[in-house]
């Protein structure tokens, strides 16, 4: 009986086209960490990391709302534009968009867009 490991097989074409959830998670983490701020002197690490997270959250809200408000300027299909802009599936994009519509930061950033999207969502 051989004890050597079998060589790894090449992934199927369907597997290669499907996004890896670990890759999506790492992209989301990189997206959230993109807005890191230098910690001021005398501030604890916990306060600085909380500030970084809040800042990254606000930047994410702004990016998603700005994209949703003007996605037609990207040209082509919206799904392709979502993949190019965020690296997310359309399902993930709409999950994030739906979740951020309830936040006060979203309403503050673009109240007309948020109210329009809430009306559309309630109409369904």
């Amino acid at each position: 009986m051989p004890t050597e490991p079998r060589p790894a097989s090449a992934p199927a074409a369907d597997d290669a086209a499907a996004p890896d959830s670990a890759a999506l998670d790492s992209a989301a983490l990189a997206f959230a960490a993109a807005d890191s701020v230098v910690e001021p002197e005398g501030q604890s690490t916990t306060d600085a990391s909380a500030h970084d997270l809040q800042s990254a959250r606000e930047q994410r809200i702004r990016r998603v709302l700005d994209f949703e408000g003007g996605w037609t300027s990207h040209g082509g299909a919206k799904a392709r534009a979502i993949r190019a802009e965020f690296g997310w599936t359309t399902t993930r994009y709409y999950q994030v968009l739906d979740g951020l519509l309830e936040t006060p930061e979203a309403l503050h950033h673009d109240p007309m867009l948020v109210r329009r999207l809430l009306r559309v969502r309630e109409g369904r």
Side-chain angles (χ1 to χ4, degrees), residues 100-118:
L100 67 82
L101 290 178
E102 303 294 329
T103 64
E105 293 92 347
L107 191 61
H108 179 71
H109 178 67
D110 195 342
M112 290 177 55
L113 176 65
V114 170
R115 288 185 187 120
R116 180 176 60 83
L117 292 173
L118 287 171

Side-chain angles (χ1 to χ4, degrees), residues 42-64:
Q43 189 177 18
S44 71
T45 305
T46 306
D47 292 342
S49 63
H51 177 62
D52 289 348
L53 289 175
Q54 180 64 25
S55 179
R57 180 175 182 255
E58 289 172 0
Q59 180 183 7
R60 178 178 171 168
I61 288 170
R62 286 190 304 268
R63 276 191 67 198
V64 171

